[in-house]
Amino acid sequence: MYIALLVINGKFFTPIAEKAFEKQAKAHPRTTPGSTNIVQSMASMIYTTIFYINCGIFAAILRSLIPHAGPFLSFFMNCAIMAYYAFEYKWLYMGWTLEHRLTYLEEHWAYFLGFGTPITALTFFLTTLHSGAIFGILYPFYVIMATMATPKPATPYGQPLTSGKGIPTDLSAPNKIPIFFGVRKMNDLVISLAKMMGGVQVDSIVAEKQKMMKMD
């Protein structure tokens, strides 16, 4: 019953995102992607699935294998994953590649970590059953907020933070943090292993991965 409810709830996410995006259509015109065949669509779906699986594995590795700091790193990794998942509908609608999406998130890391913190705080410390239930309730609202949101452009790397009287002027924040560096490497490893073992869709997945690495 629980799994069935999640599946039914998930069917409403895309219509919710589409309705919200219509409000922003003029400000964010959609980029029409090129024509794709069935094999390319399957390869894209498989590569995206690999990405999400590796995100979960990487967050679990941080939480369980790194003493003391591991849970904190895993928490913030989950914040980034939650934010990405909420914004993915909008970015797909705009025609962005996976690498474009990840790079954009990493360049606006402070905004997206903050965006994903509330829902992560409500689900991170619960059991899978309880966190899934809360996630299913809150996620549609996050999709709407993500679709309507417009993060401000990034500033040059190392630019001093706005400071007032008595605040040091040499403080700076990194313009980009490679949050998904480990996930990217895990994706490359999975694809390399799949290529060594062979398979019908391996070449298509590799081609799709190379296409996604290109910036729009």
Side-chain angles (χ1 to χ4, degrees):
M1 176 63 71
Y2 172 70
I3 296 177
L5 289 175
L6 284 181
V7 173
I8 294 173
N9 194 20
K11 292 183 179 295
F12 293 97
F13 294 162
T14 300
I16 289 173
E18 290 178 351
K19 291 295 183 181
F21 193 85
E22 288 177 1
K23 303 294 184 180
Q24 297 290 326
K26 294 182 179 180
H28 301 281
R30 182 178 181 178
T31 301
T32 304
S35 58
T36 56
N37 55 36
I38 296 177
V39 175
Q40 289 175 329
S41 298
M42 291 181 62
S44 177
M45 181 179 64
I46 293 173
Y47 186 73
T48 302
T49 301
I50 293 173
F51 167 75
Y52 276 116
I53 292 175
N54 285 336
C55 281
I57 294 175
F58 186 72
I61 290 175
L62 291 176
R63 187 173 189 175
S64 59
L65 297 184
I66 301 180
H68 306 300
F72 296 98
L73 295 176
S74 179
F75 179 87
F76 288 113
M77 184 67 194
N78 274 277
C79 291
I81 295 171
M82 289 288 192
Y84 173 87
Y85 192 35
F87 275 84
E88 186 179 43
Y89 288 96
K90 176 179 180 178
W91 293 336
L92 285 174
Y93 199 82
M94 295 172 66
W96 287 11
T97 63
L98 176 61
E99 184 61 26
H100 190 165
R101 295 171 239 155
L102 296 181
T103 300
Y104 185 82
L105 187 149
E106 291 173 340
E107 290 177 347
H108 299 78
W109 58 272
Y111 175 90
F112 287 105
L113 289 181
F115 186 91
T117 295
I119 191 171
T120 302
L122 292 173
T123 58
F124 185 77
F125 303 100
L126 301 178
T127 63
T128 303
L129 183 64
H130 291 114
S131 63
I134 294 177
F135 175 82
I137 295 173
L138 296 179
Y139 183 66
F141 297 98
Y142 267 77
V143 171
I144 295 174
M145 291 189 294
T147 305
M148 303 297 289
T150 305
K152 294 182 179 180
T155 55
Y157 182 87
Q159 177 175 317
L161 296 173
T162 302
S163 58
K165 188 175 182 179
I167 300 178
T169 58
D170 58 346
L171 293 177
S172 62
N175 192 47
K176 179 180 178 181
I177 295 181
I179 300 173
F180 290 99
F181 176 82
V183 176
R184 286 186 176 94
K185 293 302 181 182
M186 293 174 67
N187 289 347
D188 293 341
L189 177 60
V190 171
I191 293 175
S192 297
L193 292 175
K195 194 172 183 179
M196 290 175 58
M197 297 175 62
V200 178
Q201 301 293 341
V202 172
D203 292 336
S204 299
I205 296 174
V206 173
E208 183 66 19
K209 186 257 182 182
Q210 292 175 345
K211 183 182 73 174
M212 287 181 169
M213 289 295 292
K214 297 179 180 179
M215 296 297 294
D216 292 348

